[in-house]
Amino acid sequence: MKSVYIYDTTLRDGTQGEGFQLSGLDKLRIAERLDAFGVDYIEGGWPGSNPKDVEFFREAKKLKLKHAKLAAFGSTRRANVKVEEDPQVRLLLEAETPVVTIFGKSWELHVTDILRTTVEENQAMIRETVAHLVKNGREVVYDAEHFFDGYKDGAGHALATLKAAAEGGASCLVLCDTNGGTLPAEVEEICAAVRRHLPDTPMGIHTHNDCELAVANAISAVRAGATQVQGTINGYGERTGNCNLTSVMPILQLKMGIEVVPRMEELRALSHFVDDISNNPHFARAAFIGRTAFAHKGGMHVNAVQKLARSYEHIVPASVGNEQTILVSELSGQSNILLKAEQMGMPLAKGAPEAAAILTKVKELENEGYSFEAAGGSLELLIRRELGNYTKPFESTEYHTSFRQYRDGHKPVCEATVKVSVNNEIELTVAEGNGVVNALDIALRKALLPFYPEIAEVALVDYKVRILDGHDATAAKTRVLIVSAHGGETWGTVGVSDNIIEASWLALVDGIDLFLQRKS
Ligand SMILES: CC(=O)SCCNC(=O)CCNC(=O)[C@H](O)C(C)(C)COP(=O)(O)OP(=O)(O)OC[C@H]1O[C@@H](n2cnc3c(N)ncnc32)[C@H](O)[C@@H]1OP(=O)(O)O
Ligand SMILES: CC(=O)C(=O)O
């Protein structure tokens, strides 16, 4: 028997978050993935809410979940309606899930001002709905909405609602910090009081992140005896989101020694899967699984982690499926450069003059506005040049761009002319594109294609522009970051100039140049 169960509500509370939408098929795919990862409960949605959720539960019956139990979510019966006759409750049973989770009102304010009924009727709604679902063979999880606010406003009333759920036969009483305003010490104290009051029914926790404390609050509840933790992958959810399972699970398992899932090393992949399916960008600075969670930038740190990784890493990155990365920037020391050169297959001895020269160049260029953190391709070119491991594949002699806007409904035209020289052979090409940079990109490839047919497969996949502030009346500069791709490989290059087109050109040329260096 586990001491803490993980209850995932990504498919229900997660979808209450702005910008997080899932199709029925998306939900089925995420449910399968969560099951394979090893969570204990998957809350699939609210069958009474919309046709998509009804359809989801119909299709979910075909899922062959190996471990997780599927839960349908809904509310207690309406006031003054017989539970057998409440259409929402009927739909919860028709979902035919082994688990049904219902939420009820713990805060008297909500009983009188939102439900507009009496405290006695509210308790009857809770007790009767739980009992009806239990009678129909369901494991019933009871979510005590606004429990902490309700408890602080009137502990007697809040506890009486929990007692009603326990009397109805709920398998777990989940205390919800619905508005996300409770602090960890309060959570621990109130959870401990609930354990003393109702020691025979397991307690769970459901927290929201309005004070950036959802994970801390869940941990406090576990310390006070909670045995079920509810949350969502990547913290998606209503307003600022829910308790982030990608943080709370490794904290429980790796820090507190509470085994919650069998394959924690798949956590990062799960997090990316959910982002990708919902078409959301990955949060780079996410704890444990973010791209920067083990990215070392400061020269001192890089020096130390090469000697002993745990000197600046709180866990082994691979234990959550992440990895250490070393960034090169103006804050680097020689250790950063040595490591990069080694990763590129050009190892350098500590103290080598080339390492010092590369470092100086990086610092000078960053002072001019370059940034190599996301431009590993341009950094590689710089290192190759300094180490004499570079052959110029082409000379870009000149380029010209133009943009024509018509007022008669004709689509605007962006045009670029590019002249390059390869082995003293001149190639002049012209191309049109969706924008000036697109036209330049097409014209450059067209010019180089006769000499390097392999560049036909290189694609420009991302283009970012940042205006860098000018100092003391100097002109503002533009930094352009480009990401190129070939096969499964991607690389970033950077260009900086007073002129956005020139900055783009520099980054474009570096992108193709690096590809050809690596091929040669
Ligand atoms: C804390 C939480 O996150 S709970 C989950 C919240 N999630 C959602 O609301 C998403 C899904 N919701 C929906 O699709 C819709 O709101 C539905 C289908 C459930 C209900 O839609 P409608 O019947 O049109 O009602 P509407 O949403 O306007 O209002 C909610 C009603 O439920 C009542 N209600 C709220 N909580 C409860 C409860 N625990 N038990 C019984 N009734 C409740 C409210 O009093 C209100 O009824 P009233 O206006 O007659 O007083
Ligand atoms: C039940 C729920 O989602 C909440 O109280 O936040």
Side-chain angles (χ1 to χ4, degrees):
M1 203 171 118
K2 280 177 153 182
S3 57
V4 174
Y5 293 88
I6 298 297
Y7 183 109
D8 181 282
T9 176
T10 308
L11 306 182
R12 195 278 297 175
D13 214 340
T15 61
Q16 287 178 221
E18 185 175 342
F20 189 75
Q21 273 108 22
L22 299 172
S23 68
L25 182 62
D26 294 338
K27 282 187 159 203
L28 292 166
R29 289 180 67 199
I30 292 176
E32 279 180 320
R33 188 74 182 241
L34 287 167
D35 177 54
F37 181 71
V39 306
D40 303 293
Y41 294 87
I42 300 170
E43 193 170 81
W46 184 328
S49 170
N50 56 69
K52 198 204 289 177
D53 278 4
V54 173
E55 176 66 17
F56 166 79
F57 284 108
R58 191 175 309 133
E59 289 301 311
K61 286 174 200 158
K62 297 178 200 152
L63 289 177
K64 300 208 173 359
L65 300 183
K66 291 186 186 67
H67 171 77
K69 293 187 211 172
L70 195 62
F73 179 88
S75 73
T76 58
R77 69 162 171 81
R78 293 291 187 108
N80 309 314
V81 172
K82 283 199 176 117
V83 69
E84 297 80 7
E85 290 167 12
D86 187 296
Q88 301 271 345
V89 175
R90 187 170 40 76
L91 285 168
L92 283 171
L93 287 173
E94 284 175 8
E96 291 183 25
T97 52
V99 180
V100 173
T101 300
I102 54 156
F103 76 97
K105 301 289 188 191
S106 325
W107 192 358
E108 195 170 338
L109 172 87
H110 268 260
V111 178
T112 53
D113 290 33
I114 308 298
L115 293 184
R116 297 185 177 149
T117 188
T118 62
V119 293
E120 292 76 18
E121 171 64 355
N122 179 50
Q123 286 165 31
M125 287 157 68
I126 297 168
R127 188 182 303 103
E128 287 169 19
T129 312
V130 174
H132 178 68
L133 295 167
V134 170
K135 196 175 82 187
N136 281 277
R138 303 300 189 272
E139 174 183 338
V140 180
V141 172
Y142 176 69
D143 278 5
E145 194 193 16
H146 292 111
F147 186 78
F148 297 94
D149 295 313
Y151 186 93
K152 287 188 272 181
D153 199 37
H157 173 264
L159 289 169
T161 61
L162 283 187
K163 190 158 174 277
E167 284 167 359
S171 67
C172 187
L173 305 172
V174 181
L175 313 187
C176 302
D177 186 27
T178 307
N179 293 3
T182 313
L183 304 183
E186 294 173 300
V187 168
E188 195 160 341
E189 193 185 313
I190 295 172
C191 286
V194 168
R195 287 309 297 144
R196 284 194 298 276
H197 193 78
L198 290 160
D200 299 330
T201 312
M203 178 178 76
I205 183 77
H206 175 114
T207 50
H208 280 268
N209 207 27
D210 302 72
C211 293
E212 196 74 37
L213 287 169
V215 169
N217 282 341
I219 297 296
S220 293
V222 169
R223 281 164 52 87
T227 53
Q228 181 185 115
V229 171
Q230 298 195 351
T232 60
I233 300 301
N234 300 331
Y236 290 115
E238 186 89 35
R239 302 184 308 280
T240 56
N242 284 55
C243 171
N244 188 347
L245 289 180
T246 65
S247 297
V248 84
M249 290 192 293
I251 292 173
L252 290 167
Q253 191 149 317
L254 306 178
K255 308 266 172 191
M256 296 170 73
I258 301 170
E259 186 78 14
V260 287
V261 286
R263 283 175 286 284
M264 192 62 83
E265 65 284 359
E266 290 171 16
L267 185 67
R268 184 160 196 259
L270 172 67
S271 159
H272 275 273
F273 180 77
V274 172
D275 280 339
D276 289 348
I277 281 210
S278 63
N279 203 17
N280 275 288
H282 196 59
F283 179 44
R285 282 185 291 109
F288 294 96
I289 43 78
R291 195 187 69 236
T292 71
F294 303 96
H296 303 286
K297 183 165 168 185
M300 302 281 188
H301 293 223
V302 173
N303 176 285
V305 292
Q306 282 176 264
K307 294 170 180 155
L308 184 65
R310 74 187 170 91
S311 62
Y312 281 95
E313 287 175 359
H314 70 120
I315 57 160
V316 175
S319 60
V320 289
N322 211 338
E323 60 184 10
Q324 181 187 85
T325 50
I326 302 296
L327 305 172
V328 172
S329 74
E330 62 197 352
L331 298 179
S332 293
Q334 281 204 18
S335 304
N336 307 55
I337 304 297
L338 297 180
L339 196 72
K340 278 286 167 195
E342 190 177 323
Q343 285 169 353
M344 286 165 48
M346 293 178 266
L348 278 171
K350 188 160 173 77
E354 295 91 335
I358 293 167
L359 190 59
T360 306
K361 190 103 196 178
V362 165
K363 293 193 184 217
E364 280 168 9
L365 286 170
E366 292 229 341
N367 192 39
E368 285 173 27
Y370 278 76
S371 168
F372 290 99
E373 273 178 46
S378 293
L379 178 69
E380 185 173 329
L381 285 173
L382 189 157
I383 295 177
R384 282 175 180 270
R385 286 189 189 112
E386 288 296 326
L387 298 185
N389 192 346
Y390 175 81
T391 318
K392 202 164 200 163
F394 60 92
E395 195 79 56
S396 59
T397 334
E398 61 181 72
Y399 68 82
H400 168 86
T401 60
S402 69
F403 171 69
R404 253 169 289 152
Q405 178 74 54
Y406 298 87
R407 294 282 169 229
D408 61 359
H410 189 290
K411 276 171 66 178
V413 174
C414 294
E415 194 179 276
T417 313
V418 165
K419 195 189 265 187
V420 295
S421 138
V422 182
N423 302 327
N424 296 324
E425 253 190 77
I426 307 282
E427 190 72 28
L428 176 71
T429 51
V430 62
E432 286 185 351
N434 295 329
V436 171
V437 177
N438 182 236
L440 270 176
D441 182 40
I442 297 169
L444 177 62
R445 284 152 197 281
K446 214 165 138 188
L448 292 173
L449 214 55
F451 308 97
Y452 303 110
E454 59 272 36
I455 64 164
E457 304 289 305
V458 179
L460 192 164
V461 292
D462 200 10
Y463 173 81
K464 285 197 184 83
V465 178
R466 172 125 182 236
I467 307 298
L468 309 166
D469 285 342
H471 303 287
D472 306 325
T474 59
K477 285 192 175 173
T478 305
R479 177 164 71 215
V480 169
L481 274 167
I482 277 179
V483 179
S484 307
H486 181 264
E489 207 184 347
T490 59
W491 60 96
T493 48
V494 59
V496 173
S497 168
D498 299 344
N499 182 308
I500 185 170
I501 298 176
E502 171 65 0
S504 307
W505 173 253
L506 293 172
L508 273 177
V509 168
D510 263 14
I512 300 282
D513 191 349
L514 181 77
F515 173 74
L516 294 174
Q517 296 300 321
R518 287 182 177 170
K519 287 277 153 203
S520 66

